[in-house]
Amino acid sequence: MEASPLLELTVRPADVVDKVAIRRMMQLYLHDFSEFDGADVGAHGEFDYRYLDHYWTEADRHPFVFEVAGAKAGFSLVRSGSPHDLAEFFVMRKYRRQHIGQRAAELTFERFPGRWQVRQLDANTAATAFWRRALPSPYTETRNDDGPVQLFTVGPP
């Protein structure tokens, strides 16, 4: 069996015109996540993510969109600081298990050299397994009240 060709991936800062697409992908992400956090949709049948608009108005919040051959494939939301925090990360199911997630993570991390943290919920064991494989440099793992947290550095220490 031949390996599938490497898909053309772009990770770019999300413009305000991308906000609608990210908001819609956020619904898919939160739907997937509801398996772990028990969230329900609101009165209008949508999940709420109260911080999304802040990613276009606050200097320490950075939205990114992933595209594969021009098609929307996911997003990441980063809070810069010390450490930088990967607040949210989503890859559309169609693109999973094709190294898109790992490559998108690496391209996101490269934009912010320095110390990073990535957090997961205890119940989301697939996410923890993914991050343990996908992080671009050696990490230490601690815990917060919700679950594992990987700490690592990107670029020169």
Side-chain angles (χ1 to χ4, degrees):
M1 184 167 148
E2 290 184 36
S4 61
L6 202 57
L7 298 173
E8 175 191 330
L9 171 68
T10 302
V11 173
R12 63 173 176 77
D15 295 323
V16 72
V17 295
D18 295 310
K19 191 189 310 187
V20 171
I22 291 178
R23 186 177 308 279
R24 289 180 176 150
M25 287 188 287
M26 179 66 75
Q27 291 299 302
L28 301 173
Y29 169 73
L30 294 172
H31 172 265
D32 285 355
F33 211 73
S34 70
E35 176 182 353
F36 309 111
D37 69 4
D40 287 313
V41 295
H44 298 288
E46 295 179 337
F47 292 97
D48 180 45
Y49 187 79
R50 63 182 168 199
Y51 302 109
L52 187 61
D53 290 333
H54 299 244
Y55 281 87
W56 282 267
T57 61
E58 295 179 13
D60 68 335
R61 294 183 190 252
H62 310 275
F64 295 92
V65 65
F66 311 154
E67 294 174 336
V68 172
K72 299 285 188 284
F75 64 87
S76 59
L77 302 179
V78 173
R79 293 198 64 187
S80 58
S82 184
H84 305 303
D85 181 59
L86 187 61
E88 313 297 345
F89 184 86
F90 175 71
V91 175
M92 302 276 291
R93 288 180 185 255
K94 172 182 178 178
Y95 298 106
R96 294 180 190 172
R97 303 198 184 282
Q98 299 178 59
H99 303 287
I100 296 296
Q102 181 172 350
R103 290 176 33 228
E106 289 172 0
L107 292 169
T108 300
F109 297 141
E110 286 174 3
R111 292 178 175 273
F112 300 91
R115 295 184 55 236
W116 275 89
Q117 71 175 6
V118 177
R119 300 166 285 117
Q120 302 94 56
L121 294 178
D122 272 328
N124 194 348
T125 57
T128 301
F130 168 78
W131 288 113
R132 287 174 177 163
R133 287 188 316 271
L135 293 177
S137 60
Y139 63 89
T140 59
E141 189 167 292
T142 63
R143 292 188 55 76
N144 65 18
D145 291 341
D146 297 323
V149 178
Q150 291 82 29
L151 301 164
F152 58 100
T153 300
V154 173

